[in-house]
Amino acid sequence: MIQLSGAGKRFGHKLLFENADWLITSHDRIGLVGGNGTGKSTLMKILAGMDTFDYGSLVIAKGTSAGYLPQDGLTLSGRSVFSECMSVFDDLRAMETELESLTHSMAELDHASAEYDAVAERYHRVEHEFRTRDGYSIESEVGRVLMGLGFTKEDWPRLTDEFSGGWQMRLALAKLLLQQPNLLLLDEPTNHLDLEARNWLEEYLQNYPHAFVLISHDRYFLDVTVNKIAEIWNKRFWFYTGNYDKFLLQKTQRNEQLTAAYKNQRDRIEQLEVFINRFRYQATKAKQVQSRIKELEKIERIEIPPEEKTIHFSFPQPKPSGRIVAEFEQVAKVYPGKIRDGKMGADKEVFRNVSFMIERGDRIALVGVNGAGKSTLIKLLAGTEQVTKGEYRLGHNVEADYFAQDQYKELNPDARILDDLGDASPGSGETELRSLLGCFLFSDEDVFKKIGVLSGGERGRYALLRLLLHPANFLLLDEPTNHLDLRAKDVLLNALMDYTGTVVFVSHDRYFIDKLATRVFEVGDGKVEVFPGNYEDYLWRKQGGQHVAPTLDDVPNVRSKSKVGAPFLADVARSGTSTAAPEAPSNGDRTTESKKRLNPIKRKQMEDRVHDLEQEISRAETAIANLETALQNFVSAEESQRQSQELDQHKTEHAALMKEWEEFSQDLSNSG
């Protein structure tokens, strides 16, 4: 289908790849991977006929039709969404028009005439091709693809000009899928898709009848769609059979084998050189020496490629917060309508009566379709947006840090990277700053670049680096993986999994969510529903498993601001325990089941004790968190042993306090 031979490409003075040999066959499903800047997008443009190699050959088989989707930059205008997609089938619609014309002609002609026979023959020929190419189902196919990519029926008659850049790219993807070229070239097709649309695209590509090559930094997406991996590494092409998981395993094995072969070869070369040098001038050994010299000359030297650059970092471990980090109670968010054509538009309600609680150590993924309010929710938590109604409370000792999708826009484009980082970290020397920048792949002269000339990926990496300079115990991350390659995502994921603070994040990366999330908040229709577990658990519940949504609205009689209700709700939210009221007793049992009433003095004593217990529990939790953090920094064996013993004592004390608190709380609850 397509064959590359000895191909190479430069970008300015930089060599992207060389001596590339690659054969793409008609049923290949290939994932193209490699670090940022290795030439993946350039290669896709060459395969699409939009660029050329500097040297080497590219042979394309006759009849090959390539369809290319770039990362961004496509805009459509002048037609409705549905009409734009139907334009893909202009030739079929022309056939349909011709069939209608031929039908009218046959109705008017004499059935016994030669002219009628010619028209009838033409009709059958065109109709056969029209039916073979599924011409009768094009409208339903357009609807299916549009719905799969997130366009509602209300969107279909709207002009394409009304849609943002992300939705324009979805529309371009829809047209490409409807065309069904026999070589589909997709450069980051999931960039502008929410999880639901991404899941649909996965299934579509699994059933795609032709070959495709795709670039993606979504590990799960690659795992379920491709059966081959082509990697650009060290300016060479490397090929693997299987999905991304198998690629990682095979690459590790290959590197181990290469290292072992290199060591064995070096040992053999050393043996030969020692023998040659020792017996070179002995006539009796001349024949053996010559034999070994020839063997040495014939050895094809194994080269170990340099280690791949990647980001190395860990989040600063923050000081512990209180148990309750953040709480929404009956929160609403409404944006006032805008004036259009002299008329005031309707208000836009994003949330209504939303209640939930976030606890220390939670790692919460916000999911939902684009436009559902995920970014709005994270802005409310960050305090950059204010609630319209209800109450939002931050917990004790909580410090929040917010990373926005367009965080780089807050940076000064005219500042040099090194200078800007120095301003953000006063007191740090140039050596320390350069070392930190090197961890994020800014080395040598890169550190003197102005922020304004950085690529999107570079700006995203730098903005993330600045976030790490200021430790916080409540991280709010809106698409932190945008512009990070697969290896960088893995490093970020590992750092977040080791982070001891609380994280709320938005991501459309399925693998990232599955590995990181401990709870999932589904945002949509003005509500926030809470699901325990990761994204896989969330999908299981959505598809028929037991659904647990422990919001304040779902928990009767604990909506009070009293300190008794909050911990109870938190326990419900964590455990997923049903909050349904017990079955009412029969009439004969009402006396024995009636609530026991306490005298006011006794009740006041119990309430005071509950209050004291909550303070003691909070102090114990803080002590436990401090000791766990201290144990991560080794000082001496004796100190570690002392800290471990003290930690055990605090955990035992905490368990006893919790038990007593639960008993008093239960008695108070039963007393009415």
PDB file of all heavy atoms in Angstrom, residues 60 389 413 551:
ATOM      1  N   ILE A  60       3.582   4.805  -3.306  1.00  0.00           N
ATOM      2  CA  ILE A  60       2.175   4.667  -2.910  1.00  0.00           C
ATOM      3  C   ILE A  60       1.463   3.841  -3.969  1.00  0.00           C
ATOM      4  O   ILE A  60       1.525   4.155  -5.162  1.00  0.00           O
ATOM      5  CB  ILE A  60       1.509   6.045  -2.768  1.00  0.00           C
ATOM      6  CG1 ILE A  60       2.251   6.889  -1.724  1.00  0.00           C
ATOM      7  CG2 ILE A  60       0.044   5.897  -2.372  1.00  0.00           C
ATOM      8  CD1 ILE A  60       1.707   8.303  -1.588  1.00  0.00           C
ATOM      9  N   LYS A 389     -25.416  30.525  44.529  1.00  0.00           N
ATOM     10  CA  LYS A 389     -26.251  30.258  45.700  1.00  0.00           C
ATOM     11  C   LYS A 389     -25.660  29.067  46.438  1.00  0.00           C
ATOM     12  O   LYS A 389     -24.947  28.250  45.860  1.00  0.00           O
ATOM     13  CB  LYS A 389     -27.691  29.969  45.263  1.00  0.00           C
ATOM     14  CG  LYS A 389     -28.690  29.885  46.407  1.00  0.00           C
ATOM     15  CD  LYS A 389     -30.109  29.677  45.886  1.00  0.00           C
ATOM     16  CE  LYS A 389     -30.289  28.279  45.315  1.00  0.00           C
ATOM     17  NZ  LYS A 389     -31.699  27.976  44.975  1.00  0.00           N
ATOM     18  N   PRO A 413       4.883  36.442  27.992  1.00  0.00           N
ATOM     19  CA  PRO A 413       5.496  35.917  26.764  1.00  0.00           C
ATOM     20  C   PRO A 413       6.850  36.536  26.443  1.00  0.00           C
ATOM     21  O   PRO A 413       7.644  35.960  25.705  1.00  0.00           O
ATOM     22  CB  PRO A 413       4.463  36.241  25.679  1.00  0.00           C
ATOM     23  CG  PRO A 413       3.677  37.393  26.231  1.00  0.00           C
ATOM     24  CD  PRO A 413       3.649  37.193  27.717  1.00  0.00           C
ATOM     25  N   THR A 551     -24.448  11.871  47.918  1.00  0.00           N
ATOM     26  CA  THR A 551     -24.401  13.317  48.089  1.00  0.00           C
ATOM     27  C   THR A 551     -25.235  13.686  49.302  1.00  0.00           C
ATOM     28  O   THR A 551     -25.995  12.874  49.832  1.00  0.00           O
ATOM     29  CB  THR A 551     -24.962  14.034  46.848  1.00  0.00           C
ATOM     30  OG1 THR A 551     -26.344  13.693  46.728  1.00  0.00           O
ATOM     31  CG2 THR A 551     -24.235  13.599  45.588  1.00  0.00           C
TER      32      THR A 551
END
